[in-house]
């Protein structure tokens, strides 16, 4: 087995200053990056902490009791997040996803949801607000989230077999409690619900069919995510990636599938319907079929750095602008300028890049930048 290298350098300090450009970039909703990609989707990480230790994301060996999580003063307040979100929306963002770490660990998250729910797009429409969660606190919080204005939710679940799932979350968390959280979300009116399953060959790929059977006919959309080389601590290996094409083939052999058209521009998942009309699944093929060409997502880290790619190694420091004397127009202009200069297309270039050996600029961790 390949030796696992765990880097010890803290890449979070690697930050680019965000400048207010001399030529203002007005927020007109027509922003484009160097590859003509618009800005439509904002993912906001509200905490770098999680109560799971999934080996593909926050392995125990690195994220142990000595790990230097962000101090509270570094975190953006809800008011700061909302102020930034308002500028992103003015530039064309229509959808906001709260993530982390585990977003439901952030105290009073429903207050932030309430604030974001007040924002309106340039067309006067409410934002599409959603949240990605491991489901562990969902049964307790679902009702408060709906009341605050959350519309829907994505729950991560990597298998139905308790031993497999407990092993993957590495904190011995049972499947039944996540399923209870999903039921509570549905009962509270959070809908549609998506379930994300990260597939690791040899670890949980035998759970693909049981998961498909379980959610088929429920209206819940199960999505299979290729195991990705995010961050620098998960010991990623290509031979542990099960290509989405294989996932589709395995399901279709038992439960015939037909392809569906994309519904939203920049959609990450390829959609497939059960031929018998009993619902659909999605596959997210970031490794084997990169979708950088349509990527319209920006990511805001817990401490207010703007990242232009999930695989970026540096962010742009918006918090300094917020906590300095910058006006809303200044901040919008800085965001516009950064987006106009965006060239990122890591997943398309992955195979041509040197492996991340730990001596160059390291990719930021997903728990920090937000999944
Ligand atoms: N804690 C929340 C959760 O569990 O959904 C939100 C954050 S988590 C980083 C967001 C999503 O990223 C989850 O669906 C998780 O399974 C996925 N993810 C994390 N590491 C991944 C990896 N290496 N490859 C593919 N997906 C990954």
């Amino acid at each position: 087995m390949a030796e696992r290298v765990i880097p010890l350098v803290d890449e979070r300090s690697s930050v680019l200053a965000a400048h207010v450009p001399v030529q203002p970039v007005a927020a007109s909703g027509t922003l484009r990056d160097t590859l003509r990609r618009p800005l439509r989707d904002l993912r906001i990480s509200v905490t770098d902490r999680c109560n799971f230790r999934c080996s593909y994301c926050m392995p125990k060996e690195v994220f142990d009791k000595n790990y230097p999580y962000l101090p509270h003063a570094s975190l953006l307040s809800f008011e700061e997040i909302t102020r930034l979100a308002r500028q992103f929306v003015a530039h064309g963002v229509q959808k906001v996803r709260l993530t982390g770490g585990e977003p439901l660990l952030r105290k009073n998250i429903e207050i932030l949801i309430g604030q974001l729910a007040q924002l309106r797009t340039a067309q006067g429409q409410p934002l599409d607000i959603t949240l990605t969660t491991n489901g562990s606190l969902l049964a307790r919080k679902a009702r408060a989230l709906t009341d605050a204005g959350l519309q829907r939710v994505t729950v991560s679940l990597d298998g139905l077999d308790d031993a497999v799932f407990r092993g993957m979350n590495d904190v011995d968390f049972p499947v039944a409690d996540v399923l209870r959280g999903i039921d509570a979300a549905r009962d509270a009116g959070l809908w549609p619900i998506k379930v994300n399953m990260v597939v690791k060959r040899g670890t949980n790929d035998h759970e693909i069919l049981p998961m498909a059977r379980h959610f088929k006919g429920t209206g819940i959309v199960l999505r299979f995510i290729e195991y990705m080389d995010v961050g620098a601590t998960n010991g990623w290996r290509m031979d542990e990636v099960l290509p989405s094409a294989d996932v589709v083939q395995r399901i279709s052999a038992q439960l015939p599938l037909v392809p569906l058209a994309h519904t939203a521009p920049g959609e990450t998942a390829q959609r497939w319907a059960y031929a018998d009309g009993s619902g659909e699944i999605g596959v997210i093929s970031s490794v084997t079929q990169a979708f950088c060409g349509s990527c319209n997502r920006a990511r805001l880290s817990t401490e207010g750095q703007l990242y232009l790619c999930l695989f970026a190694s540096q962010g742009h420091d918006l918090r300094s602008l917020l906590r300095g004397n910058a006006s809303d127009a200044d901040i919008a202009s800085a965001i516009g300028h950064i987006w106009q200069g965006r060239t990122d297309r890591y997943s398309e270039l992955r195979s041509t890049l040197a492996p991340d050996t730990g001596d160059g600029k390291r990719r930021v961790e997903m728990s920090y930048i937000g999944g």
Side-chain angles (χ1 to χ4, degrees):
M1 198 165 128
E3 194 181 331
R4 179 134 170 223
V5 177
I6 298 176
L8 297 173
V9 177
D10 187 353
E11 278 294 315
R12 293 173 306 181
S13 53
S14 174
V15 60
L16 298 163
H19 297 292
V20 180
V22 181
Q23 288 289 332
V25 182
S28 60
T30 56
L31 197 61
R32 290 281 188 281
D33 71 7
T34 59
L35 301 173
R36 306 284 312 144
R37 296 171 294 189
L39 172 56
R40 293 284 178 265
D41 187 339
L42 178 64
R43 302 203 172 183
I44 302 175
S45 174
V46 293
T47 177
D48 61 337
R49 292 163 195 259
C50 188
N51 52 344
F52 283 14
R53 285 293 173 273
C54 305
S55 59
Y56 54 73
C57 189
M58 294 183 75
K60 236 177 197 162
E61 303 89 318
V62 177
F63 296 88
D64 60 11
K65 64 179 185 340
N66 299 317
Y67 185 81
Y69 291 100
L70 296 171
H72 196 261
S74 292
L75 272 53
L76 294 188
S77 68
F78 293 160
E79 288 69 26
E80 288 174 323
I81 292 174
T82 305
R83 186 175 170 210
L84 280 182
R86 188 177 293 114
Q87 315 316 318
F88 280 96
V89 170
H91 274 302
V93 162
Q94 295 168 349
K95 176 173 146 191
V96 168
R97 177 178 296 279
L98 300 178
T99 177
E102 170 48 44
L104 297 186
L105 287 181
R106 179 82 186 248
K107 208 169 158 206
N108 298 326
I109 182 82
E110 53 280 8
I111 294 178
L112 173 64
I113 292 168
Q115 292 177 6
L116 294 172
Q118 302 299 315
L119 300 181
R120 292 291 174 269
T121 66
Q123 296 74 36
Q125 299 301 313
L127 292 178
D128 175 10
I129 307 176
T130 183
L131 177 146
T132 304
T133 174
N134 61 27
S136 58
L137 299 170
L138 204 46
R140 218 179 302 161
K141 298 213 162 183
R143 177 60 61 187
L145 296 173
T146 318
D147 290 348
L150 190 71
Q151 291 143 5
R152 57 199 182 87
V153 76
T154 298
V155 183
S156 305
L157 179 63
D158 295 333
L160 288 175
D161 181 292
D162 220 34
V164 171
F165 182 60
R166 285 175 192 257
M168 285 184 83
N169 64 54
D170 217 5
V171 292
D172 211 24
F173 198 85
V175 172
D177 287 10
V178 179
L179 295 178
R180 239 190 307 281
I182 293 172
D183 287 347
R186 192 181 39 214
D187 292 349
L190 292 169
W191 195 260
I193 295 175
K194 291 176 186 164
V195 170
N196 278 352
M197 171 178 173
V198 175
V199 180
K200 266 185 98 172
R201 192 199 289 273
T203 301
N204 67 336
D205 56 324
H206 57 291
E207 286 293 293
I208 292 171
L209 263 162
M211 285 282 281
R213 287 207 170 91
H214 182 86
F215 289 107
K216 184 173 182 284
T218 63
I220 292 173
V221 178
L222 175 60
R223 300 168 348 141
F224 299 91
I225 308 181
E226 286 179 352
Y227 169 40
M228 295 184 287
D229 48 340
V230 282
T233 58
N234 66 6
W236 183 84
R237 298 201 327 248
M238 186 65 202
D239 61 2
E240 289 184 312
V241 177
L242 184 77
S244 291
D246 291 25
V247 173
V248 170
Q249 205 175 28
R250 286 193 197 184
I251 297 174
S252 209
Q254 304 286 325
L255 310 166
L257 293 167
V258 290
L260 287 172
H262 276 287
T263 43
E267 196 170 50
T268 51
Q270 291 161 309
R271 300 166 57 227
W272 294 80
Y274 290 110
D276 64 5
S278 61
E280 67 175 80
I281 61 150
V283 289
I284 301 177
S285 324
S286 164
V287 179
T288 61
Q289 278 178 275
F291 37 81
C292 307
S294 61
C295 179
N296 54 19
R297 278 173 294 289
R299 294 167 190 274
L300 186 63
S301 80
T302 314
E303 53 181 348
Q305 293 183 15
L306 168 59
Y307 285 86
L308 302 175
C309 176
L310 178 57
F311 301 95
S313 48
Q314 282 187 305
H316 301 258
D317 181 15
L318 298 181
R319 190 184 60 191
S320 295
L321 291 180
L322 275 176
R323 295 188 181 174
N325 286 325
S327 65
D328 283 356
D330 288 342
I331 295 172
S333 202
I335 292 169
H337 182 65
I338 294 165
W339 189 265
Q340 283 177 335
R342 178 181 188 239
T343 56
D344 304 64
R345 53 190 193 99
Y346 173 84
S347 291
E348 284 179 356
L349 301 177
R350 176 184 283 110
S351 59
T352 67
L353 299 173
D356 191 342
T357 53
D359 49 2
K361 273 185 191 160
R362 229 161 279 129
R363 292 189 293 275
V364 72
E365 294 299 324
M366 194 154 175
S367 52
Y368 171 72
I369 193 177

